[in-house]
Amino acid sequence: MQSTRASAATCFGPDGKLRTVAANVPRIDYDPVTGSCLGLLLEEARTNLWLNSATAAAAQSFTVTAQTYALSFEGGGTLVLTGAYAGSSSTAVLRGGRKHLVFTPSAGTLTCTPAGDVKNVQLEAGSFSTSYIPTEGSAATRAAYAATLQLPAELSKAGAVVCSFRHYNGSITDTTILCIDDGTETQNSQHAIRTSNGGMTIRYTPRGSGVTIMDIGIAVADLGAKTNVGFRFGGGNFSGALGGVLAGPVASDKLVPDVKRLRLGQRGSVNAVRMTGYIERIAIYTGPITDAQLQRLTA
């Protein structure tokens, strides 16, 4: 598998400790509370606006716009927000040992005042929190991550892909869980598992020679929950399945030619919206399987 990320990034190890990995190194992340393996972490680019983030020793002020922000930190203390937004991290959701607060301020100056034990603070523009980005005297950016795998030529005729994932950016339109394609960014020949516009209905969309063969909603995935999804094609029909629920088959004599690459969390342009979440398991079958087998594999 080829991994690309133009910056270092953080994740938790099996010992529950935060660690930093170098650029282009994939992150296998663990829940720091339970120690369970979460899988390969996929994330879009984000910027931490909080300076000297390791310890929150004093209040900080930020010029913000009227868009959604996510605030997260570790420790048993609180952060009080005043100015462009009035609130407190006491209402934050605890996930993976970090407190998370999502809010929308008015345009202006936002002041965040820490009280008690507050460390590894992150303030980022976005509708959900992402992994911690350490900062010192200036804001820091974690680059987006891309993962690809070259595939055998047999997948142009028949095959199947099944994966287990957890998705966190459910409010964002049309994100991709996985895609197998012809190695280009045109989206002319590809099989894609993606979210619907403005929702968490998972869709299976194969395209051949620039023509959409089918675009069918399979079932709704719960945000942040482990979800099993897959698709199969060959023998003149296409099917998708999520949690054992089958969508299809749809009959078609069309093929998706020249399939040669698996992409995780992305399809099309490198600037396209990316999935943020985890891929826990992925299996690729280079020959036909039945609908019943697909249902069992995704149950």
Side-chain angles (χ1 to χ4, degrees), residues 34-174:
T34 66
S36 61
C37 182
L38 298 172
L40 177 67
L41 177 56
L42 307 177
E43 288 185 307
E44 61 190 66
R46 285 289 182 91
T47 298
N48 186 2
L49 304 174
W50 192 283
L51 310 185
N52 301 303
S53 59
T55 57
Q60 292 192 28
S61 295
F62 309 88
T63 300
V64 294
T65 59
Q67 62 172 313
T68 305
Y69 290 82
L71 178 67
S72 61
F73 65 93
E74 297 173 35
T78 60
L79 282 165
V80 177
L81 284 59
T82 56
Y85 181 85
S88 170
S89 64
S90 62
T91 61
V93 175
L94 184 65
R95 188 182 79 232
R98 289 180 65 84
K99 292 180 178 179
H100 300 259
L101 178 68
V102 176
F103 63 99
T104 302
S106 56
T109 300
L110 173 71
T111 299
C112 303
T113 304
D117 180 25
V118 177
K119 58 188 177 184
N120 292 346
V121 187
Q122 184 152 306
L123 177 65
E124 55 192 313
S127 60
F128 54 93
S129 299
T130 63
S131 65
Y132 173 56
I133 305 166
T135 68
E136 294 183 355
S138 60
T141 298
R142 179 198 60 248
Y145 175 70
T148 60
L149 179 69
Q150 296 304 304
L151 299 174
E154 295 91 323
L155 275 173
S156 291
K157 297 180 180 179
V161 178
V162 176
C163 84
S164 301
F165 72 94
R166 299 175 190 267
H167 196 307
Y168 287 104
N169 53 342
S171 62
I172 296 179
T173 294
D174 194 10

